[in-house]
């Protein structure tokens, strides 16, 4: 279970994401002759990608990183309709599969960088909910999940 304010989760996630980005993506992009790099990515990656974009721009000042953030399905539709994108980071494989089936991903460029997990987050001070099974307790009145039609986390939930 993740409780808001946990620094170890955020720090570990950021370190893993930055390491994956630098190791798998940044070297290939370092040779890009263009001055703009457009990244469409799942909104769940917003904070981490903003930090990574700043770091990447510092190391590559001739490249401006533009982030287009939103629901993975919406981003998939934008790409299908011709939106210019250099890198797509989806929160689920289904959007990548859809783009690949339409020939919209360059061959051999698809990489699995991250995985998603459903987590249980409870309000500060709530001491009776420790695992998903506890959501069935009579005292639990509200449960919030992502929209299953638009975000993978909603599907998982």
């Amino acid at each position: 279970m993740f409780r808001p304010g946990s620094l170890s989760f955020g720090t570990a996630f950021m370190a893993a994401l930055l390491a994956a980005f630098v190791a798998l993506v940044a070297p290939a992009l370092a040779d890009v002759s263009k001055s703009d790099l457009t990244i469409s990515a799942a909104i769940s990656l917003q904070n981490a990608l903003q930090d990574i974009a700043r770091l990447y721009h510092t190391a590559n000042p001739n490249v401006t990183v533009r982030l287009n953030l939103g629901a993975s399905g919406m981003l998939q539709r934008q790409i299908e309709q011709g939106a210019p994108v250099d890198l797509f980071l989806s929160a689920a494989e289904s959007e990548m599969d859809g783009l690949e089936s339409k020939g919209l991903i360059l061959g051999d460029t698809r990489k699995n960088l991250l995985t998603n997990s459903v987590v249980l987050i409870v309000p500060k001070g709530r001491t009776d909910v420790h695992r998903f099974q506890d959501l069935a307790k009579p005292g639990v009145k509200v449960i919030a999940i992502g929209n299953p039609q638009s975000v993978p986390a909603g599907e998982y939930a």
Side-chain angles (χ1 to χ4, degrees), residues 39-45 49 68 70-76 79 87-99 105 110-116 150-152 155-156:
I39 301 173
S40 286
I43 192 71
S44 58
L45 299 173
L49 284 178
N68 177 35
S72 295
M74 178 195 69
L75 297 171
Q76 175 192 359
I79 294 167
L87 179 64
F88 177 45
L89 298 171
S90 176
E93 291 184 25
S94 60
E95 286 78 15
M96 298 300 287
D97 293 342
L99 292 173
I105 297 177
R110 183 175 173 173
K111 307 280 186 224
N112 291 328
L113 298 176
L114 306 165
T115 59
N116 272 344
S150 61
V151 295
E155 291 178 39
Y156 306 153

PDB file of all heavy atoms in Angstrom, residues 39-45 49 68 70-76 79 87-99 105 110-116 150-152 155-156:
ATOM      1  N   ILE A  39       7.060  14.521 -27.144  1.00  0.00           N
ATOM      2  CA  ILE A  39       6.781  13.292 -26.410  1.00  0.00           C
ATOM      3  C   ILE A  39       5.316  13.299 -25.996  1.00  0.00           C
ATOM      4  O   ILE A  39       4.882  14.188 -25.262  1.00  0.00           O
ATOM      5  CB  ILE A  39       7.675  13.156 -25.162  1.00  0.00           C
ATOM      6  CG1 ILE A  39       9.149  13.163 -25.564  1.00  0.00           C
ATOM      7  CG2 ILE A  39       7.307  11.907 -24.372  1.00  0.00           C
ATOM      8  CD1 ILE A  39      10.112  13.197 -24.397  1.00  0.00           C
ATOM      9  N   SER A  40       4.558  12.347 -26.494  1.00  0.00           N
ATOM     10  CA  SER A  40       3.188  12.140 -26.023  1.00  0.00           C
ATOM     11  C   SER A  40       3.252  11.035 -24.985  1.00  0.00           C
ATOM     12  O   SER A  40       3.815   9.970 -25.244  1.00  0.00           O
ATOM     13  CB  SER A  40       2.272  11.735 -27.177  1.00  0.00           C
ATOM     14  OG  SER A  40       2.003  12.846 -28.002  1.00  0.00           O
ATOM     15  N   ALA A  41       2.682  11.294 -23.811  1.00  0.00           N
ATOM     16  CA  ALA A  41       2.829  10.333 -22.716  1.00  0.00           C
ATOM     17  C   ALA A  41       1.612  10.338 -21.809  1.00  0.00           C
ATOM     18  O   ALA A  41       0.901  11.342 -21.696  1.00  0.00           O
ATOM     19  CB  ALA A  41       4.076  10.655 -21.898  1.00  0.00           C
ATOM     20  N   ALA A  42       1.413   9.202 -21.166  1.00  0.00           N
ATOM     21  CA  ALA A  42       0.337   9.058 -20.189  1.00  0.00           C
ATOM     22  C   ALA A  42       0.484  10.123 -19.110  1.00  0.00           C
ATOM     23  O   ALA A  42       1.588  10.393 -18.634  1.00  0.00           O
ATOM     24  CB  ALA A  42       0.375   7.664 -19.571  1.00  0.00           C
ATOM     25  N   ILE A  43      -0.625  10.715 -18.741  1.00  0.00           N
ATOM     26  CA  ILE A  43      -0.629  11.790 -17.749  1.00  0.00           C
ATOM     27  C   ILE A  43      -0.031  11.347 -16.416  1.00  0.00           C
ATOM     28  O   ILE A  43       0.524  12.155 -15.681  1.00  0.00           O
ATOM     29  CB  ILE A  43      -2.056  12.367 -17.562  1.00  0.00           C
ATOM     30  CG1 ILE A  43      -2.040  13.672 -16.770  1.00  0.00           C
ATOM     31  CG2 ILE A  43      -2.966  11.343 -16.909  1.00  0.00           C
ATOM     32  CD1 ILE A  43      -1.469  14.843 -17.512  1.00  0.00           C
ATOM     33  N   SER A  44      -0.074  10.068 -16.127  1.00  0.00           N
ATOM     34  CA  SER A  44       0.488   9.557 -14.872  1.00  0.00           C
ATOM     35  C   SER A  44       1.997   9.765 -14.803  1.00  0.00           C
ATOM     36  O   SER A  44       2.589   9.695 -13.728  1.00  0.00           O
ATOM     37  CB  SER A  44       0.161   8.074 -14.694  1.00  0.00           C
ATOM     38  OG  SER A  44       0.651   7.324 -15.792  1.00  0.00           O
ATOM     39  N   LEU A  45       2.613  10.043 -15.937  1.00  0.00           N
ATOM     40  CA  LEU A  45       4.061  10.264 -15.979  1.00  0.00           C
ATOM     41  C   LEU A  45       4.441  11.741 -15.938  1.00  0.00           C
ATOM     42  O   LEU A  45       5.614  12.086 -16.062  1.00  0.00           O
ATOM     43  CB  LEU A  45       4.645   9.624 -17.248  1.00  0.00           C
ATOM     44  CG  LEU A  45       4.469   8.117 -17.359  1.00  0.00           C
ATOM     45  CD1 LEU A  45       4.934   7.630 -18.723  1.00  0.00           C
ATOM     46  CD2 LEU A  45       5.217   7.409 -16.251  1.00  0.00           C
ATOM     47  N   LEU A  49       8.263  13.046 -16.087  1.00  0.00           N
ATOM     48  CA  LEU A  49       8.711  13.495 -17.407  1.00  0.00           C
ATOM     49  C   LEU A  49       9.087  14.967 -17.430  1.00  0.00           C
ATOM     50  O   LEU A  49       9.990  15.364 -18.171  1.00  0.00           O
ATOM     51  CB  LEU A  49       7.644  13.205 -18.465  1.00  0.00           C
ATOM     52  CG  LEU A  49       7.555  11.752 -18.879  1.00  0.00           C
ATOM     53  CD1 LEU A  49       6.427  11.559 -19.889  1.00  0.00           C
ATOM     54  CD2 LEU A  49       8.869  11.245 -19.454  1.00  0.00           C
ATOM     55  N   ASN A  68       3.281  16.325 -24.475  1.00  0.00           N
ATOM     56  CA  ASN A  68       1.854  16.268 -24.749  1.00  0.00           C
ATOM     57  C   ASN A  68       1.308  15.155 -23.867  1.00  0.00           C
ATOM     58  O   ASN A  68       1.537  13.976 -24.138  1.00  0.00           O
ATOM     59  CB  ASN A  68       1.613  15.972 -26.239  1.00  0.00           C
ATOM     60  CG  ASN A  68       0.147  15.830 -26.559  1.00  0.00           C
ATOM     61  OD1 ASN A  68      -0.701  16.492 -25.987  1.00  0.00           O
ATOM     62  ND2 ASN A  68      -0.160  14.937 -27.491  1.00  0.00           N
ATOM     63  N   GLY A  70      -1.710  13.139 -21.554  1.00  0.00           N
ATOM     64  CA  GLY A  70      -3.140  12.868 -21.505  1.00  0.00           C
ATOM     65  C   GLY A  70      -3.404  11.389 -21.330  1.00  0.00           C
ATOM     66  O   GLY A  70      -2.493  10.600 -21.063  1.00  0.00           O
ATOM     67  N   ALA A  71      -4.656  11.010 -21.509  1.00  0.00           N
ATOM     68  CA  ALA A  71      -5.039   9.604 -21.443  1.00  0.00           C
ATOM     69  C   ALA A  71      -4.419   8.878 -22.635  1.00  0.00           C
ATOM     70  O   ALA A  71      -4.406   9.395 -23.752  1.00  0.00           O
ATOM     71  CB  ALA A  71      -6.557   9.473 -21.458  1.00  0.00           C
ATOM     72  N   SER A  72      -3.915   7.686 -22.397  1.00  0.00           N
ATOM     73  CA  SER A  72      -3.220   6.936 -23.452  1.00  0.00           C
ATOM     74  C   SER A  72      -4.094   6.713 -24.682  1.00  0.00           C
ATOM     75  O   SER A  72      -3.624   6.818 -25.815  1.00  0.00           O
ATOM     76  CB  SER A  72      -2.722   5.604 -22.906  1.00  0.00           C
ATOM     77  OG  SER A  72      -1.746   5.815 -21.911  1.00  0.00           O
ATOM     78  N   GLY A  73      -5.376   6.415 -24.487  1.00  0.00           N
ATOM     79  CA  GLY A  73      -6.282   6.203 -25.608  1.00  0.00           C
ATOM     80  C   GLY A  73      -6.464   7.467 -26.439  1.00  0.00           C
ATOM     81  O   GLY A  73      -6.509   7.419 -27.670  1.00  0.00           O
ATOM     82  N   MET A  74      -6.559   8.615 -25.769  1.00  0.00           N
ATOM     83  CA  MET A  74      -6.690   9.884 -26.479  1.00  0.00           C
ATOM     84  C   MET A  74      -5.425  10.176 -27.282  1.00  0.00           C
ATOM     85  O   MET A  74      -5.489  10.602 -28.433  1.00  0.00           O
ATOM     86  CB  MET A  74      -6.954  11.020 -25.491  1.00  0.00           C
ATOM     87  CG  MET A  74      -7.047  12.394 -26.149  1.00  0.00           C
ATOM     88  SD  MET A  74      -6.925  13.762 -24.974  1.00  0.00           S
ATOM     89  CE  MET A  74      -5.212  13.634 -24.474  1.00  0.00           C
ATOM     90  N   LEU A  75      -4.276   9.907 -26.689  1.00  0.00           N
ATOM     91  CA  LEU A  75      -3.007  10.134 -27.384  1.00  0.00           C
ATOM     92  C   LEU A  75      -2.879   9.205 -28.580  1.00  0.00           C
ATOM     93  O   LEU A  75      -2.397   9.608 -29.645  1.00  0.00           O
ATOM     94  CB  LEU A  75      -1.833   9.952 -26.420  1.00  0.00           C
ATOM     95  CG  LEU A  75      -1.797  10.937 -25.241  1.00  0.00           C
ATOM     96  CD1 LEU A  75      -0.724  10.531 -24.247  1.00  0.00           C
ATOM     97  CD2 LEU A  75      -1.589  12.358 -25.714  1.00  0.00           C
ATOM     98  N   GLN A  76      -3.325   7.965 -28.426  1.00  0.00           N
ATOM     99  CA  GLN A  76      -3.321   7.023 -29.548  1.00  0.00           C
ATOM    100  C   GLN A  76      -4.137   7.587 -30.707  1.00  0.00           C
ATOM    101  O   GLN A  76      -3.694   7.576 -31.855  1.00  0.00           O
ATOM    102  CB  GLN A  76      -3.893   5.676 -29.117  1.00  0.00           C
ATOM    103  CG  GLN A  76      -4.038   4.689 -30.271  1.00  0.00           C
ATOM    104  CD  GLN A  76      -4.854   3.461 -29.924  1.00  0.00           C
ATOM    105  OE1 GLN A  76      -5.324   3.305 -28.805  1.00  0.00           O
ATOM    106  NE2 GLN A  76      -5.024   2.587 -30.890  1.00  0.00           N
ATOM    107  N   ILE A  79      -2.338  10.350 -32.550  1.00  0.00           N
ATOM    108  CA  ILE A  79      -1.294   9.814 -33.434  1.00  0.00           C
ATOM    109  C   ILE A  79      -1.925   9.228 -34.688  1.00  0.00           C
ATOM    110  O   ILE A  79      -1.451   9.452 -35.807  1.00  0.00           O
ATOM    111  CB  ILE A  79      -0.427   8.777 -32.684  1.00  0.00           C
ATOM    112  CG1 ILE A  79       0.358   9.460 -31.564  1.00  0.00           C
ATOM    113  CG2 ILE A  79       0.509   8.051 -33.649  1.00  0.00           C
ATOM    114  CD1 ILE A  79       1.012   8.514 -30.571  1.00  0.00           C
ATOM    115  N   LEU A  87       8.072  10.373 -29.671  1.00  0.00           N
ATOM    116  CA  LEU A  87       8.139   9.316 -28.665  1.00  0.00           C
ATOM    117  C   LEU A  87       6.778   9.216 -27.997  1.00  0.00           C
ATOM    118  O   LEU A  87       6.197  10.236 -27.616  1.00  0.00           O
ATOM    119  CB  LEU A  87       9.217   9.663 -27.628  1.00  0.00           C
ATOM    120  CG  LEU A  87       9.432   8.712 -26.468  1.00  0.00           C
ATOM    121  CD1 LEU A  87       9.934   7.360 -26.962  1.00  0.00           C
ATOM    122  CD2 LEU A  87      10.432   9.309 -25.491  1.00  0.00           C
ATOM    123  N   PHE A  88       6.255   8.000 -27.889  1.00  0.00           N
ATOM    124  CA  PHE A  88       4.965   7.776 -27.236  1.00  0.00           C
ATOM    125  C   PHE A  88       5.165   6.847 -26.059  1.00  0.00           C
ATOM    126  O   PHE A  88       5.668   5.730 -26.212  1.00  0.00           O
ATOM    127  CB  PHE A  88       3.965   7.175 -28.232  1.00  0.00           C
ATOM    128  CG  PHE A  88       2.620   6.846 -27.651  1.00  0.00           C
ATOM    129  CD1 PHE A  88       1.949   7.718 -26.808  1.00  0.00           C
ATOM    130  CD2 PHE A  88       1.996   5.644 -27.967  1.00  0.00           C
ATOM    131  CE1 PHE A  88       0.695   7.408 -26.280  1.00  0.00           C
ATOM    132  CE2 PHE A  88       0.743   5.316 -27.454  1.00  0.00           C
ATOM    133  CZ  PHE A  88       0.093   6.207 -26.612  1.00  0.00           C
ATOM    134  N   LEU A  89       4.790   7.303 -24.874  1.00  0.00           N
ATOM    135  CA  LEU A  89       4.864   6.495 -23.657  1.00  0.00           C
ATOM    136  C   LEU A  89       3.434   6.239 -23.197  1.00  0.00           C
ATOM    137  O   LEU A  89       2.786   7.120 -22.646  1.00  0.00           O
ATOM    138  CB  LEU A  89       5.655   7.216 -22.564  1.00  0.00           C
ATOM    139  CG  LEU A  89       7.114   7.519 -22.880  1.00  0.00           C
ATOM    140  CD1 LEU A  89       7.725   8.420 -21.821  1.00  0.00           C
ATOM    141  CD2 LEU A  89       7.902   6.245 -23.002  1.00  0.00           C
ATOM    142  N   SER A  90       2.949   5.044 -23.463  1.00  0.00           N
ATOM    143  CA  SER A  90       1.584   4.669 -23.133  1.00  0.00           C
ATOM    144  C   SER A  90       1.535   4.010 -21.763  1.00  0.00           C
ATOM    145  O   SER A  90       2.493   3.361 -21.348  1.00  0.00           O
ATOM    146  CB  SER A  90       1.062   3.697 -24.195  1.00  0.00           C
ATOM    147  OG  SER A  90      -0.224   3.233 -23.862  1.00  0.00           O
ATOM    148  N   ALA A  91       0.390   4.147 -21.111  1.00  0.00           N
ATOM    149  CA  ALA A  91       0.214   3.483 -19.817  1.00  0.00           C
ATOM    150  C   ALA A  91      -0.226   2.036 -19.979  1.00  0.00           C
ATOM    151  O   ALA A  91      -0.303   1.307 -19.004  1.00  0.00           O
ATOM    152  CB  ALA A  91      -0.804   4.253 -18.980  1.00  0.00           C
ATOM    153  N   ALA A  92      -0.525   1.615 -21.203  1.00  0.00           N
ATOM    154  CA  ALA A  92      -0.968   0.234 -21.431  1.00  0.00           C
ATOM    155  C   ALA A  92      -0.483  -0.247 -22.793  1.00  0.00           C
ATOM    156  O   ALA A  92      -0.224   0.550 -23.687  1.00  0.00           O
ATOM    157  CB  ALA A  92      -2.486   0.144 -21.348  1.00  0.00           C
ATOM    158  N   GLU A  93      -0.387  -1.550 -22.920  1.00  0.00           N
ATOM    159  CA  GLU A  93       0.075  -2.141 -24.174  1.00  0.00           C
ATOM    160  C   GLU A  93      -0.960  -2.036 -25.285  1.00  0.00           C
ATOM    161  O   GLU A  93      -0.611  -2.027 -26.461  1.00  0.00           O
ATOM    162  CB  GLU A  93       0.453  -3.605 -23.951  1.00  0.00           C
ATOM    163  CG  GLU A  93       1.694  -3.771 -23.109  1.00  0.00           C
ATOM    164  CD  GLU A  93       2.114  -5.228 -22.964  1.00  0.00           C
ATOM    165  OE1 GLU A  93       1.768  -6.044 -23.850  1.00  0.00           O
ATOM    166  OE2 GLU A  93       2.787  -5.546 -21.978  1.00  0.00           O
ATOM    167  N   SER A  94      -2.247  -1.972 -24.938  1.00  0.00           N
ATOM    168  CA  SER A  94      -3.295  -1.997 -25.971  1.00  0.00           C
ATOM    169  C   SER A  94      -3.169  -0.826 -26.945  1.00  0.00           C
ATOM    170  O   SER A  94      -3.368  -1.003 -28.154  1.00  0.00           O
ATOM    171  CB  SER A  94      -4.682  -2.025 -25.331  1.00  0.00           C
ATOM    172  OG  SER A  94      -4.883  -0.885 -24.514  1.00  0.00           O
ATOM    173  N   GLU A  95      -2.823   0.348 -26.449  1.00  0.00           N
ATOM    174  CA  GLU A  95      -2.649   1.501 -27.341  1.00  0.00           C
ATOM    175  C   GLU A  95      -1.445   1.307 -28.250  1.00  0.00           C
ATOM    176  O   GLU A  95      -1.491   1.645 -29.439  1.00  0.00           O
ATOM    177  CB  GLU A  95      -2.515   2.803 -26.536  1.00  0.00           C
ATOM    178  CG  GLU A  95      -3.806   3.294 -25.927  1.00  0.00           C
ATOM    179  CD  GLU A  95      -4.217   2.552 -24.656  1.00  0.00           C
ATOM    180  OE1 GLU A  95      -3.394   1.842 -24.071  1.00  0.00           O
ATOM    181  OE2 GLU A  95      -5.381   2.705 -24.266  1.00  0.00           O
ATOM    182  N   MET A  96      -0.387   0.766 -27.706  1.00  0.00           N
ATOM    183  CA  MET A  96       0.793   0.490 -28.524  1.00  0.00           C
ATOM    184  C   MET A  96       0.476  -0.577 -29.567  1.00  0.00           C
ATOM    185  O   MET A  96       0.877  -0.455 -30.726  1.00  0.00           O
ATOM    186  CB  MET A  96       1.963   0.034 -27.650  1.00  0.00           C
ATOM    187  CG  MET A  96       2.435   1.069 -26.639  1.00  0.00           C
ATOM    188  SD  MET A  96       3.007   2.602 -27.391  1.00  0.00           S
ATOM    189  CE  MET A  96       4.548   2.076 -28.073  1.00  0.00           C
ATOM    190  N   ASP A  97      -0.270  -1.609 -29.160  1.00  0.00           N
ATOM    191  CA  ASP A  97      -0.662  -2.668 -30.092  1.00  0.00           C
ATOM    192  C   ASP A  97      -1.484  -2.089 -31.239  1.00  0.00           C
ATOM    193  O   ASP A  97      -1.288  -2.447 -32.403  1.00  0.00           O
ATOM    194  CB  ASP A  97      -1.464  -3.754 -29.378  1.00  0.00           C
ATOM    195  CG  ASP A  97      -0.652  -4.546 -28.363  1.00  0.00           C
ATOM    196  OD1 ASP A  97       0.601  -4.504 -28.425  1.00  0.00           O
ATOM    197  OD2 ASP A  97      -1.273  -5.200 -27.498  1.00  0.00           O
ATOM    198  N   GLY A  98      -2.410  -1.183 -30.906  1.00  0.00           N
ATOM    199  CA  GLY A  98      -3.245  -0.566 -31.931  1.00  0.00           C
ATOM    200  C   GLY A  98      -2.434   0.229 -32.930  1.00  0.00           C
ATOM    201  O   GLY A  98      -2.657   0.142 -34.146  1.00  0.00           O
ATOM    202  N   LEU A  99      -1.475   1.011 -32.434  1.00  0.00           N
ATOM    203  CA  LEU A  99      -0.624   1.805 -33.325  1.00  0.00           C
ATOM    204  C   LEU A  99       0.268   0.899 -34.163  1.00  0.00           C
ATOM    205  O   LEU A  99       0.463   1.133 -35.356  1.00  0.00           O
ATOM    206  CB  LEU A  99       0.222   2.791 -32.521  1.00  0.00           C
ATOM    207  CG  LEU A  99      -0.557   3.920 -31.840  1.00  0.00           C
ATOM    208  CD1 LEU A  99       0.365   4.726 -30.934  1.00  0.00           C
ATOM    209  CD2 LEU A  99      -1.229   4.813 -32.871  1.00  0.00           C
ATOM    210  N   ILE A 105       4.156   2.674 -35.814  1.00  0.00           N
ATOM    211  CA  ILE A 105       5.359   2.630 -34.976  1.00  0.00           C
ATOM    212  C   ILE A 105       6.506   2.169 -35.862  1.00  0.00           C
ATOM    213  O   ILE A 105       6.382   1.168 -36.575  1.00  0.00           O
ATOM    214  CB  ILE A 105       5.184   1.667 -33.785  1.00  0.00           C
ATOM    215  CG1 ILE A 105       4.065   2.162 -32.862  1.00  0.00           C
ATOM    216  CG2 ILE A 105       6.490   1.529 -33.001  1.00  0.00           C
ATOM    217  CD1 ILE A 105       3.776   1.230 -31.699  1.00  0.00           C
ATOM    218  N   ARG A 110       9.888  -0.149 -30.579  1.00  0.00           N
ATOM    219  CA  ARG A 110       9.011  -0.327 -29.417  1.00  0.00           C
ATOM    220  C   ARG A 110       9.789  -0.967 -28.277  1.00  0.00           C
ATOM    221  O   ARG A 110      10.426  -2.004 -28.442  1.00  0.00           O
ATOM    222  CB  ARG A 110       7.812  -1.190 -29.806  1.00  0.00           C
ATOM    223  CG  ARG A 110       6.824  -1.368 -28.675  1.00  0.00           C
ATOM    224  CD  ARG A 110       5.600  -2.119 -29.141  1.00  0.00           C
ATOM    225  NE  ARG A 110       4.737  -2.431 -28.015  1.00  0.00           N
ATOM    226  CZ  ARG A 110       3.543  -2.970 -28.134  1.00  0.00           C
ATOM    227  NH1 ARG A 110       3.073  -3.277 -29.330  1.00  0.00           N
ATOM    228  NH2 ARG A 110       2.827  -3.226 -27.061  1.00  0.00           N
ATOM    229  N   LYS A 111       9.721  -0.341 -27.108  1.00  0.00           N
ATOM    230  CA  LYS A 111      10.397  -0.840 -25.910  1.00  0.00           C
ATOM    231  C   LYS A 111       9.429  -0.805 -24.740  1.00  0.00           C
ATOM    232  O   LYS A 111       8.662   0.143 -24.589  1.00  0.00           O
ATOM    233  CB  LYS A 111      11.606   0.038 -25.546  1.00  0.00           C
ATOM    234  CG  LYS A 111      12.601   0.258 -26.650  1.00  0.00           C
ATOM    235  CD  LYS A 111      13.515  -0.909 -26.791  1.00  0.00           C
ATOM    236  CE  LYS A 111      14.594  -0.587 -27.813  1.00  0.00           C
ATOM    237  NZ  LYS A 111      14.854  -1.638 -28.734  1.00  0.00           N
ATOM    238  N   ASN A 112       9.460  -1.813 -23.921  1.00  0.00           N
ATOM    239  CA  ASN A 112       8.703  -1.800 -22.675  1.00  0.00           C
ATOM    240  C   ASN A 112       9.610  -1.234 -21.592  1.00  0.00           C
ATOM    241  O   ASN A 112      10.562  -1.889 -21.174  1.00  0.00           O
ATOM    242  CB  ASN A 112       8.231  -3.207 -22.305  1.00  0.00           C
ATOM    243  CG  ASN A 112       7.171  -3.714 -23.257  1.00  0.00           C
ATOM    244  OD1 ASN A 112       6.378  -2.944 -23.780  1.00  0.00           O
ATOM    245  ND2 ASN A 112       7.156  -5.008 -23.498  1.00  0.00           N
ATOM    246  N   LEU A 113       9.307   0.003 -21.165  1.00  0.00           N
ATOM    247  CA  LEU A 113      10.150   0.677 -20.176  1.00  0.00           C
ATOM    248  C   LEU A 113       9.648   0.496 -18.749  1.00  0.00           C
ATOM    249  O   LEU A 113      10.438   0.416 -17.821  1.00  0.00           O
ATOM    250  CB  LEU A 113      10.204   2.186 -20.465  1.00  0.00           C
ATOM    251  CG  LEU A 113      10.802   2.626 -21.784  1.00  0.00           C
ATOM    252  CD1 LEU A 113      10.685   4.129 -21.938  1.00  0.00           C
ATOM    253  CD2 LEU A 113      12.251   2.188 -21.872  1.00  0.00           C
ATOM    254  N   LEU A 114       8.331   0.485 -18.580  1.00  0.00           N
ATOM    255  CA  LEU A 114       7.746   0.507 -17.246  1.00  0.00           C
ATOM    256  C   LEU A 114       6.592  -0.467 -17.161  1.00  0.00           C
ATOM    257  O   LEU A 114       6.083  -0.938 -18.176  1.00  0.00           O
ATOM    258  CB  LEU A 114       7.210   1.920 -16.943  1.00  0.00           C
ATOM    259  CG  LEU A 114       8.194   3.064 -17.113  1.00  0.00           C
ATOM    260  CD1 LEU A 114       7.455   4.382 -17.135  1.00  0.00           C
ATOM    261  CD2 LEU A 114       9.205   3.044 -15.985  1.00  0.00           C
ATOM    262  N   THR A 115       6.153  -0.728 -15.954  1.00  0.00           N
ATOM    263  CA  THR A 115       4.944  -1.502 -15.746  1.00  0.00           C
ATOM    264  C   THR A 115       4.041  -0.734 -14.784  1.00  0.00           C
ATOM    265  O   THR A 115       4.512   0.117 -14.023  1.00  0.00           O
ATOM    266  CB  THR A 115       5.243  -2.894 -15.150  1.00  0.00           C
ATOM    267  OG1 THR A 115       5.921  -2.728 -13.901  1.00  0.00           O
ATOM    268  CG2 THR A 115       6.101  -3.724 -16.084  1.00  0.00           C
ATOM    269  N   ASN A 116       2.771  -1.028 -14.840  1.00  0.00           N
ATOM    270  CA  ASN A 116       1.792  -0.417 -13.943  1.00  0.00           C
ATOM    271  C   ASN A 116       1.390  -1.417 -12.880  1.00  0.00           C
ATOM    272  O   ASN A 116       1.376  -2.627 -13.123  1.00  0.00           O
ATOM    273  CB  ASN A 116       0.531  -0.014 -14.714  1.00  0.00           C
ATOM    274  CG  ASN A 116       0.620   1.366 -15.293  1.00  0.00           C
ATOM    275  OD1 ASN A 116       1.454   2.168 -14.917  1.00  0.00           O
ATOM    276  ND2 ASN A 116      -0.265   1.648 -16.226  1.00  0.00           N
ATOM    277  N   SER A 150     -11.113   5.269 -20.293  1.00  0.00           N
ATOM    278  CA  SER A 150     -10.082   6.179 -20.794  1.00  0.00           C
ATOM    279  C   SER A 150      -8.695   5.995 -20.192  1.00  0.00           C
ATOM    280  O   SER A 150      -7.733   6.498 -20.757  1.00  0.00           O
ATOM    281  CB  SER A 150     -10.534   7.627 -20.602  1.00  0.00           C
ATOM    282  OG  SER A 150     -10.733   7.907 -19.235  1.00  0.00           O
ATOM    283  N   VAL A 151      -8.576   5.327 -19.062  1.00  0.00           N
ATOM    284  CA  VAL A 151      -7.238   5.150 -18.475  1.00  0.00           C
ATOM    285  C   VAL A 151      -7.013   3.701 -18.053  1.00  0.00           C
ATOM    286  O   VAL A 151      -7.909   3.067 -17.503  1.00  0.00           O
ATOM    287  CB  VAL A 151      -6.994   6.087 -17.258  1.00  0.00           C
ATOM    288  CG1 VAL A 151      -6.996   7.544 -17.670  1.00  0.00           C
ATOM    289  CG2 VAL A 151      -8.025   5.876 -16.169  1.00  0.00           C
ATOM    290  N   PRO A 152      -5.851   3.162 -18.338  1.00  0.00           N
ATOM    291  CA  PRO A 152      -5.564   1.777 -17.973  1.00  0.00           C
ATOM    292  C   PRO A 152      -5.729   1.484 -16.482  1.00  0.00           C
ATOM    293  O   PRO A 152      -6.185   0.403 -16.119  1.00  0.00           O
ATOM    294  CB  PRO A 152      -4.112   1.599 -18.415  1.00  0.00           C
ATOM    295  CG  PRO A 152      -3.969   2.546 -19.559  1.00  0.00           C
ATOM    296  CD  PRO A 152      -4.792   3.752 -19.156  1.00  0.00           C
ATOM    297  N   GLU A 155      -9.106   0.352 -15.842  1.00  0.00           N
ATOM    298  CA  GLU A 155      -9.304  -1.032 -16.267  1.00  0.00           C
ATOM    299  C   GLU A 155      -8.786  -1.993 -15.203  1.00  0.00           C
ATOM    300  O   GLU A 155      -9.428  -2.982 -14.877  1.00  0.00           O
ATOM    301  CB  GLU A 155      -8.593  -1.298 -17.587  1.00  0.00           C
ATOM    302  CG  GLU A 155      -9.191  -0.613 -18.778  1.00  0.00           C
ATOM    303  CD  GLU A 155      -8.390  -0.882 -20.037  1.00  0.00           C
ATOM    304  OE1 GLU A 155      -7.916  -2.031 -20.227  1.00  0.00           O
ATOM    305  OE2 GLU A 155      -8.222   0.054 -20.830  1.00  0.00           O
ATOM    306  N   TYR A 156      -7.588  -1.721 -14.694  1.00  0.00           N
ATOM    307  CA  TYR A 156      -6.994  -2.596 -13.694  1.00  0.00           C
ATOM    308  C   TYR A 156      -7.843  -2.636 -12.433  1.00  0.00           C
ATOM    309  O   TYR A 156      -8.040  -3.680 -11.835  1.00  0.00           O
ATOM    310  CB  TYR A 156      -5.588  -2.137 -13.310  1.00  0.00           C
ATOM    311  CG  TYR A 156      -4.622  -1.954 -14.445  1.00  0.00           C
ATOM    312  CD1 TYR A 156      -3.575  -1.047 -14.328  1.00  0.00           C
ATOM    313  CD2 TYR A 156      -4.748  -2.648 -15.640  1.00  0.00           C
ATOM    314  CE1 TYR A 156      -2.672  -0.861 -15.368  1.00  0.00           C
ATOM    315  CE2 TYR A 156      -3.852  -2.457 -16.679  1.00  0.00           C
ATOM    316  CZ  TYR A 156      -2.827  -1.565 -16.536  1.00  0.00           C
ATOM    317  OH  TYR A 156      -1.942  -1.378 -17.562  1.00  0.00           O
TER     318      TYR A 156
END
